[in-house]
Amino acid sequence: MTASSQRSAIITGGSGGIGRAAALRLADDGVRVLIHYSGNAQAAQETADAVVVAGGTAVVFGGDVADEDQMQEMFAAAIEAFGGIDVVVNTAGIMPLAPIAAMDLEIFDRIQRTNVRGTFVVNQLAARQLRAGGAIINFSTSMTRLQMPGYGAYAASKGAVEAMTLILARELRGRDITVNAIAPGPTATPLFFTGKTQEQIDAIAKLNPMERLGTPEDIAEAVAFLAGPGRWINGQVLFANGGAA
């Protein structure tokens, strides 16, 4: 494969968890990756180093996904490094939990800014700049179906992500660009474990028939499918949760 024909991807939130697993999995398919981070430059560089050690190509970029100027700079950096962009994977997100009645509205606004506005900003730029044959992969959550107490603000933000995903897929008619969302179930990432007791973790792990938490690698396989061979999957929400809902 020549450099000009090799596919390239931006992965927001690529410094850890699902983002890191997705970067490594796409790199295994020969995709060059830009690994975005918002605060942990060291973790992003460690992910990039792991990609390079495995024989892939990676660069890193730090910025706020909800800031359109910073994200435009990120897209420009990817184009400069790779010559174009084929895949955008939006794993960046935050998940503070509280009952709706108790949720601090400043925290609620922060969740919506990162998860909704951030996805919208990156999708807008991707819609303008992805090459034909490309894929936009957003991230929702199975909590929109599981409806567990405490997840109201987070699930609301991901409901918005699903809506924009389905509409953008139809707005890109004729462009040969797919737009889908992955809705993971509970997945063993630092974001999931934060603030939970072992008893809570064990109970949540039992929700699906597989009776375990998902792994970042489980979700990365879904990313690789939508980024590569899954060209006839478009305008869909793929629930990757072991059968929990």
Side-chain angles (χ1 to χ4, degrees):
M1 180 179 290
T2 66
S4 61
S5 64
Q6 189 175 4
R7 287 166 69 80
S8 305
I10 290 172
I11 303 172
T12 70
S15 60
I18 291 171
R20 175 186 170 90
L24 290 167
R25 180 63 181 82
L26 290 180
D28 190 53
D29 282 345
V31 179
R32 299 169 295 181
V33 293
L34 180 146
I35 297 163
H36 158 270
Y37 66 92
S38 61
N40 196 334
Q42 180 178 346
Q45 189 59 56
E46 289 171 355
T47 300
D49 292 344
V51 168
V52 172
V53 167
T57 301
V59 297
V60 299
F61 187 95
D64 176 2
V65 289
D67 185 306
E68 63 271 31
D69 294 329
Q70 292 181 28
M71 290 300 96
Q72 178 57 60
E73 291 175 9
M74 178 181 72
F75 273 74
I79 291 170
E80 180 178 358
F82 305 136
I85 309 164
D86 304 285
V87 179
V88 172
V89 184
N90 286 299
T91 74
I94 60 174
M95 192 176 65
L97 303 179
I100 290 172
M103 171 65 71
D104 184 295
L105 289 179
E106 290 187 4
I107 295 175
F108 176 86
D109 288 343
R110 186 159 59 89
I111 294 169
Q112 309 313 311
R113 184 180 187 278
T114 299
N115 297 359
V116 181
R117 179 186 167 93
T119 300
F120 192 95
V121 166
V122 173
N123 275 228
Q124 184 179 72
L125 292 167
R128 294 170 179 171
Q129 300 182 63
L130 253 64
R131 295 187 285 206
I136 298 170
I137 304 167
N138 293 324
F139 267 76
S140 180
T141 174
S142 288
M143 288 303 165
T144 58
R145 288 186 178 180
L146 293 173
Q147 300 156 3
M148 293 179 62
Y151 285 83
Y154 177 70
S157 74
K158 294 303 187 176
V161 168
E162 289 188 13
M164 76 175 77
T165 298
L166 303 186
I167 290 170
L168 181 58
R170 286 144 183 87
E171 290 179 345
L172 295 183
R173 175 183 293 273
R175 292 274 305 280
D176 190 24
I177 295 171
T178 62
V179 189
N180 295 287
I182 297 172
T187 305
T189 67
L191 185 67
F192 169 78
F193 288 121
T194 300
K196 294 182 179 67
T197 67
Q198 188 60 49
E199 183 180 11
Q200 289 172 323
I201 293 167
D202 292 342
I204 292 171
K206 295 285 189 181
L207 289 175
N208 69 75
M210 309 295 284
E211 295 192 337
R212 68 170 176 85
L213 295 175
T215 67
E217 290 73 24
D218 289 328
I219 311 306
E221 288 297 331
V223 171
F225 173 67
L226 293 176
R231 296 304 302 167
W232 199 232
I233 311 299
N234 189 27
Q236 305 297 321
V237 179
L238 175 61
F239 284 81
N241 58 27

